[in-house]
Every structure is written in structure tokens, then in C-alpha cells.
Amino acid sequence: EENRARLTKRELVSLPPGRATYKRVGRMFIRTPQADLETELDQTVEKVGKELTGLRSQEEYLGRQVKDAQQAISELMFAHAR
């Protein structure tokens, strides 16, 4: 989604000012000012970046939990084997 927004913004910026631009809404397209589309794309890139940061930190946290759980299971099996 982030890549699509960046590519779209790059193409949008290359258009001459005053060019008719359209935004997809469901199955139809609505004429939208170019500046509004650029703002929406910037917001999309920012939102996706924040989500990605959150997901990476969540991945690290869950990875640590898995490692701790595996270690606890190993300790239990080792203690039970004695």
C-alpha cells in the first residue's frame, strides 16, 4: 500500500497543474483536486509507516515471548527428566 501511494504521488506530481484528477471511491471515480489527492497520498504513506513501526515492535515482542516460552518448556522437560 505504501509503495502504491508513493508511485501514485510521483506520477501525480509530474502532471501539469490544473489537470483533471480522479479518486476511486468503491466502483466509481470522483473528480478531486490534485492537491487533495497529494495530501491523501502523503497521509497514507505516513499512516502505513506508523503501522509498520508498530508491527515491527510487536514482532520483536512476540519473538521474545516465544523464546522465553521455549526456554521455560526446555527447563521443565529437563527438570522432569531428572
Side-chain angles (χ1 to χ4, degrees), residues 3-78:
N3 286 337
R4 184 180 331 144
R6 285 179 194 231
L7 289 171
T8 304
K9 169 108 192 247
R10 187 178 67 203
E11 293 299 320
L12 196 60
V13 170
S14 70
L15 292 175
R19 186 74 177 247
T21 54
Y22 297 86
K23 172 183 167 183
R24 183 177 181 167
V25 179
R27 294 179 64 180
M28 64 183 183
F29 293 89
I30 297 177
R31 188 173 184 165
T32 308
Q34 186 173 349
D36 292 352
L37 287 176
E38 289 176 12
T39 302
E40 284 184 36
L41 291 170
D42 288 337
Q43 290 172 349
T44 299
V45 169
E46 184 178 327
K47 182 183 101 178
V48 169
K50 288 179 182 178
E51 289 176 359
L52 187 58
T53 302
L55 289 172
R56 284 185 178 143
S57 65
Q58 186 177 18
E59 178 185 29
E60 290 174 15
Y61 172 74
L62 292 173
R64 286 191 305 267
Q65 279 193 325
V66 166
K67 185 178 175 183
D68 291 346
Q70 287 174 337
Q71 185 177 4
I73 290 171
S74 295
E75 289 174 3
L76 283 172
M77 290 177 68
F78 182 72

